[in-house]
Amino acid sequence: MSFKKLHPLLKESLENEGFETSNPFQKKVLPTLKGGADAYIIAPKGSGKTTALIIATIHKLKAEAFEDSPRAIIVVENKKEALRLKEEFERFTNTTDLRVYALYDEYDIEKQKTEVYYGQDIVIATPARLSKLYFLNGIHLGEVQLLAIEDADYLGRHNGYNHILRLSESLNKCQFIIMADEMNSRIKNYQNAFMSNAHLLK
């Protein structure tokens, strides 16, 4: 897929980072993600999954900030991954006014409530902290257009699977994306809930 069809500000960021075109795997997955379909993206590390997700997310949000409620939620395993992915997103949002926020367990939850309240577009969150903040009415999910789980292989640990399942029940008209190195029974079980019509891209 050519980058010509992407939002001009996103295209500019990609060019600034030295990306001229998508790689073969991204060419396969980006049309499905851009089209708004639910998807399992199963491929080994280094295949370009994360960059594809970042491109699809920024394009979906039209590369611009809008009101206060998050419109994209990316779920990751821990604080380290939240901060790493935030940094990755910021490489591609620096030509836009999109706000990217990392929400993780090792931080004062009252401060997080305040920082989210003042407006975020993309929230990168650990499952437990996202769930806790939601049930404390600290984050509004009514405007979420995309929920993605990055490197979902961890979901069998720390009750992450159940946190995601409960949160998915609060989302309407949302695109769901699950990314993992390989399909496993935990993430496959989401087919019985919100991933029933998901495409399998591998």
Side-chain angles (χ1 to χ4, degrees):
M1 187 193 113
S2 167
F3 288 153
K4 291 178 183 176
K5 297 179 180 177
L6 297 173
H7 190 285
L9 291 177
L10 173 56
K11 187 168 171 273
E12 183 183 339
S13 285
L14 288 163
E15 289 170 353
N16 291 343
E17 289 293 324
F19 288 81
E20 295 178 2
T21 186
S22 45
N23 69 23
F25 183 72
Q26 291 163 347
K27 281 183 170 71
K28 181 160 69 169
V29 304
L30 275 169
T32 300
L33 298 186
K34 281 184 62 194
D38 295 346
Y40 285 103
I41 304 176
I42 309 298
K45 285 180 174 34
S47 58
K49 298 192 298 289
T50 299
T51 302
L53 173 65
I54 291 170
I55 290 169
T57 302
I58 296 170
H59 186 77
K60 190 179 188 78
L61 303 187
K62 300 177 181 175
E64 62 184 11
F66 181 75
E67 296 186 350
D68 298 327
S69 297
R71 291 173 292 144
I73 304 279
I74 319 293
V75 182
V76 296
E77 181 176 9
N78 53 36
K79 173 185 176 180
K80 179 182 176 183
E81 289 304 306
L83 294 173
R84 180 192 64 79
L85 188 56
K86 180 177 185 284
E87 193 173 301
E88 278 291 296
F89 260 97
E90 287 173 343
R91 288 175 60 201
F92 300 98
T93 57
N94 57 17
T95 55
T96 78
D97 61 356
L98 284 168
R99 299 154 298 180
V100 185
Y101 186 77
L103 180 66
Y104 48 84
D105 304 88
E106 299 91 340
Y107 191 69
D108 186 298
I109 196 165
E110 291 301 320
K111 289 182 181 177
Q112 288 173 333
K113 283 175 73 173
T114 301
E115 290 163 3
V116 170
Y117 175 80
Y118 282 117
Q120 305 295 340
D121 300 292
I122 301 164
V123 172
I124 301 162
T126 56
R129 182 48 58 101
L130 176 61
S131 181
K132 185 171 183 179
L133 201 64
Y134 175 67
F135 287 106
L136 289 173
N137 293 317
I139 186 168
H140 176 61
L141 301 183
E143 303 301 322
V144 172
Q145 301 171 23
L146 179 148
L147 174 72
I149 307 170
E150 210 226 6
D151 287 338
D153 309 82
Y154 66 85
L155 280 175
R157 304 189 291 275
H158 313 306
N159 206 31
Y161 175 85
N162 291 322
H163 286 311
I164 300 297
L165 199 56
R166 285 195 295 269
L167 289 164
S168 71
E169 294 168 354
S170 306
L171 301 175
N172 298 314
K173 295 181 180 178
C174 181
Q175 179 182 13
F176 294 101
I177 301 167
I178 296 180
M179 304 195 307
D181 294 351
E182 56 186 34
M183 183 65 94
N184 62 49
S185 59
R186 276 284 182 181
I187 61 176
K188 193 171 184 179
N189 278 341
Y190 283 132
Q191 290 178 325
N192 300 322
F194 55 89
M195 295 293 283
S196 56
N197 298 313
H199 295 246
L200 177 58
L201 305 172
K202 55 193 291 190

